Amino acid sequence: MTANVAPSSCIAVHSRSGVGTGTWLDAVLLPDCDSNMEVSKKLLNSVPGCVDDALRGLTSCCPGLRVLQGHRVVLRADLEKIKGRVALLSGGGSGHEPAHAGYVGPGMLTGAIAGPVFTSPPVGSIMAAIRAVAHAGAAGVLLIVKNYTGDRLNFGLALERARREGAEVEMVVIGDDCAFTSPRKAGRRGICGTVLMHKIAGALAEQGRSLKEICQVVKEASAGLGTLGVSLSPCSVPGSGPTFQLAADELELGLGIHGEAGVRRDKMMTSDEVVKIMIDHMTDPASQSRVNVNPGDSVILVVNNLGGLSCLELQIVADSAVRCLEKKGLLIKRAMMGSFMTALEMSGVSLTMMMTSEELLTLYDYETSAPAWPHVPCVSVTGQMRTFPCVPETSQPEDPEPDSKQVQVYSRVLEHICQILLTLEEELNDLDRAAGDGDCGSTHARAAHAIRSWLSAATLPSSPARLLTTLSEVLLEKMGGTSGALYSLFLTAAAHPLQNQRGPQAWAAAMEAGIEAMKRYGGAEPGDRTMLDSLCVAAQVLQALQTPHCDVMQTLSLAVQKAAEAAENTKNMTAGAGRASYIGSSSLTRPDPGAVAAAAILKAIWQGLGEK
């Protein structure tokens, strides 16, 4: 595709690219004219051969495609099957992949002609493609061309030459850009909406429709077609620097797929805000380039990645677009999102809308094996359920008459835990800075505040199993981070032995069950410099609770003592799990904060149980 655009756009590009004179094409392909322009890094073998290498890569991975020898032309491998049918050829400058070669295949294009990056393909290659499909017995050739001056000239010249050689050739020019409310003399630029025309025309050709019929349907369909793009960053041609500059807090609306100027610049805003501006602009009744839609109309939506937008952002934009269009009362019959017509690595997105009918939907849904065409379900988007209702949690059996004395013990123990964790907040944060992000104390303090809120807002269950299960949910929701997940996991597993058992033996079994769950899912073992070092030593001592007539408080006191010693000894260990495992052992000279916190919690439990 050529980069030639209306003169006013060229001037705008010059001013923002730092190039003083010459054409916009010079500004892109001759970066040395600006000594301050930094060449962008790209994974290439060479700048001159990058297009040839790219086409070889595509055909190497797609057995249904072939390169026409001596030309940058990609054709269907089953060219003999077009005999008696209309052949479809498109193309333009490279850098817009997967357009156009990615849309070659049964049900879409017969062939695609690639030019250098952002430059229209030469007439000789277009002629070679026309001759190849004519030789295969095509019943006419349709050239689908995007509205750029270079493309119109080169494809038009090839058409005239082919007709002189006796070929039946027609050309349709697609201009779907909605950026300029009063289009320049050159007309609306051809951008991502062209891909939909490839699909419509391809289905018609596959059905054996005549060249005249295909031209007519494509022209009518393109009249209800519109596209608008927004960019967060420029792109850079191989061997060159950025084609323009955008400030870190700016975006540009309505720019072309080569980086040529848009209609306005704005400060960064949310996806919903950007999409609303785009769709309002595309449907503005005062605009000559609008998509003339009204509530109740049916449309096809394309959310197109301009090259460098993350999949996460693209899906967010797609959600914004669907909600915005449906809020306007439009019926989205089909929607697709992905990279369909890019601008190299430009971080941005374009939205395409096409007014549709039952006939166009049938053509859109027609089967194709073109490698870049996505699998799109043949169902309407609007009107579909987009969520499943959550299955309600299994109701827990009602707590029998609460044991008030037991509840008082639980409350007292939990308050001791909260108090000690809040006291240790700064110490734990300080220990965590050596190997983590310094928030261990803050995370445990957040847990303490959550537990206190729970204590003040609810009556504690007297069932120990229900107590631990509910506490695990509080910590999972409010504590957050890895610590929240680990404590919740421990408590959830520890609750199982307590469902049908009571007494010190059951609590010893609960401790073992919680530790085993942490080891199984967390991946750590004793000696890895984690909270398990404190817990496992304490659990060994608590095994004495299985002995009849064991002194519970004395055993717990010994467990607390051993846990504290184990926590202190972690300063001599090499971390084998967690974030600290990525830090050199020579840098870890203080105890592990998780082990210190676990030992402190055990001490708080002992103190709470011992308080009368």
Side-chain angles (χ1 to χ4, degrees):
M1 178 188 304
T2 185
N4 292 27
V5 292
S8 57
S9 296
C10 295
I11 294 170
V13 173
H14 293 164
S15 64
R16 49 181 199 166
S17 65
V19 180
T21 59
T23 66
W24 182 84
L25 189 59
D26 293 334
V28 172
L29 300 182
L30 301 176
D32 291 339
C33 61
D34 185 345
S35 60
N36 295 321
M37 186 178 292
E38 181 180 348
V39 174
S40 299
K41 293 185 292 185
K42 295 190 185 298
L43 280 174
L44 311 173
N45 294 317
S46 71
V47 171
C50 65
V51 174
D52 302 285
D53 291 346
L55 294 181
R56 278 198 303 272
L58 177 65
T59 54
S60 294
C61 294
C62 302
L65 304 181
R66 298 282 189 275
V67 172
L68 184 61
Q69 190 172 2
H71 295 278
R72 290 170 173 164
V73 174
V74 173
L75 296 167
R76 288 173 50 172
D78 60 346
L79 208 54
E80 70 281 355
K81 291 187 178 179
I82 69 165
K83 186 174 182 179
R85 296 179 179 175
V86 172
L88 306 175
L89 298 177
S90 188
S94 297
H96 306 302
E97 290 72 23
H100 300 80
Y103 302 115
V104 174
M108 288 194 78
L109 298 176
T110 313
I113 307 97
V117 174
F118 289 1
T119 305
S120 181
V123 174
S125 291
I126 301 172
M127 282 299 302
I130 294 173
R131 292 188 186 111
V133 297
H135 181 74
V141 180
L142 177 62
L143 306 178
I144 303 175
V145 179
K146 292 182 298 305
N147 188 33
Y148 285 92
T149 305
D151 287 352
R152 292 198 313 271
L153 289 173
N154 288 353
F155 277 89
L157 182 53
L159 177 146
E160 295 298 333
R161 288 185 177 180
R163 283 179 174 174
R164 194 169 64 235
E165 293 181 6
E168 185 181 2
V169 186
E170 295 291 342
M171 183 169 81
V172 290
V173 179
I174 308 300
D176 57 311
D177 182 21
C178 292
F180 298 100
T181 56
S182 299
R184 277 50 172 176
K185 184 176 181 181
R188 299 166 67 187
R189 297 174 291 202
I191 39 184
C192 186
T194 310
V195 175
L196 293 178
M197 298 302 100
H198 294 162
K199 187 67 180 66
I200 299 302
L204 291 167
E206 204 69 22
Q207 293 173 1
R209 307 282 280 273
S210 70
L211 181 59
K212 182 178 179 181
E213 286 179 293
I214 297 174
C215 285
Q216 184 64 29
V217 173
V218 170
K219 288 177 180 177
E220 290 174 357
S222 64
L225 183 66
T227 300
L228 188 68
V230 66
S231 177
L232 313 182
S233 75
C235 58
S236 55
V237 173
S240 180
T243 53
F244 61 91
Q245 297 296 327
L246 267 176
D249 62 344
E250 286 184 328
L251 54 80
E252 181 151 358
L253 180 74
L255 74 174
I257 51 175
H258 312 96
E260 63 268 36
V263 291
R264 59 188 271 194
R265 286 191 177 185
D266 282 305
K267 294 297 183 181
M268 283 297 299
M269 58 188 79
T270 68
S271 171
D272 284 349
E273 291 168 333
V274 172
V275 167
K276 184 178 187 306
I277 289 173
M278 294 174 74
I279 292 177
D280 286 348
H281 188 92
M282 295 171 71
T283 58
D284 182 1
S287 172
Q288 297 177 33
S289 300
R290 71 184 181 278
V291 183
N292 193 18
V293 290
N294 296 293
D297 286 345
S298 297
V299 298
I300 292 173
L301 169 67
V302 180
V303 183
N304 172 56
N305 190 342
L306 286 172
L309 207 67
S310 68
C311 292
L312 175 77
E313 294 165 280
L314 193 69
Q315 290 174 192
I316 292 170
V317 172
D319 175 61
S320 298
V322 167
R323 286 188 289 106
C324 185
L325 291 176
E326 290 182 338
K327 189 175 181 180
K328 287 180 174 288
L330 297 176
L331 305 177
I332 306 172
K333 292 296 185 179
R334 302 289 185 272
M336 61 183 193
M337 61 179 176
S339 298
F340 305 112
M341 184 173 289
T342 63
L344 292 168
E345 80 282 21
M346 184 183 289
S347 179
V349 64
S350 67
L351 300 178
T352 297
M353 277 192 292
M354 184 178 78
M355 295 184 65
T356 192
S357 60
E358 288 304 316
E359 179 190 7
L360 289 180
L361 281 178
T362 300
L363 298 173
Y364 176 89
D365 291 338
Y366 199 89
E367 183 179 356
T368 179
S369 59
W373 186 258
H375 173 73
V376 182
C378 301
V379 294
S380 175
V381 171
T382 298
Q384 297 297 319
M385 294 292 293
R386 292 170 191 158
T387 59
F388 270 122
C390 284
V391 178
E393 294 184 24
T394 304
S395 58
Q396 297 292 329
E398 288 296 321
D399 207 16
E401 186 68 27
D403 185 332
S404 59
K405 290 184 178 180
Q406 194 75 2
V407 170
Q408 287 177 3
V409 172
Y410 293 157
S411 298
R412 188 169 64 243
V413 168
L414 289 172
E415 179 55 40
H416 272 270
I417 292 173
C418 293
Q419 184 176 342
I420 202 165
L421 290 181
L422 292 171
T423 302
L424 286 174
E425 179 176 4
E426 286 306 317
E427 180 183 340
L428 294 176
N429 280 341
D430 186 51
L431 290 174
D432 192 35
R433 290 187 187 100
D437 48 11
D439 68 345
C440 181
S442 301
T443 302
H444 283 79
R446 190 160 57 244
H449 289 303
I451 293 171
R452 279 184 167 173
S453 296
W454 175 46
L455 290 173
S456 64
T459 301
L460 299 187
S462 55
S463 160
R466 291 193 66 193
L467 175 78
L468 296 192
T469 299
T470 308
L471 182 57
S472 74
E473 294 171 355
V474 170
L475 296 184
L476 184 62
E477 181 180 353
K478 301 296 185 180
M479 186 177 187
T482 304
S483 296
L486 285 171
Y487 279 115
S488 180
L489 180 65
F490 176 90
L491 292 167
T492 301
H496 290 302
L498 295 168
Q499 288 179 329
N500 302 308
Q501 302 179 50
R502 293 291 187 274
Q505 298 91 342
W507 283 100
M511 182 78 162
E512 286 290 341
I515 288 173
E516 285 305 311
M518 292 177 72
K519 289 162 65 175
R520 184 183 312 118
Y521 298 108
E525 293 287 341
D528 283 340
R529 202 180 189 275
T530 70
M531 69 171 70
L532 279 176
D533 292 300
S534 297
L535 294 176
C536 288
V537 169
Q540 289 175 0
V541 176
L542 293 177
Q543 285 302 306
L545 296 176
Q546 304 284 358
T547 306
H549 311 300
C550 174
D551 188 321
V552 174
M553 292 306 295
Q554 185 176 352
T555 302
L556 185 54
S557 175
L558 181 58
V560 169
Q561 177 188 335
K562 294 297 184 182
E565 292 173 358
E568 182 65 21
N569 288 337
T570 58
K571 67 183 180 182
N572 301 316
M573 294 179 182
T574 298
R579 189 180 286 117
S581 63
Y582 299 101
I583 307 297
S585 58
S586 60
S587 302
L588 301 175
T589 60
R590 303 179 67 191
D592 176 71
V596 172
I601 291 171
L602 290 172
K603 182 178 180 180
I605 294 172
W606 173 67
Q607 291 173 336
L609 290 174
E611 185 179 291
K612 301 301 182 183

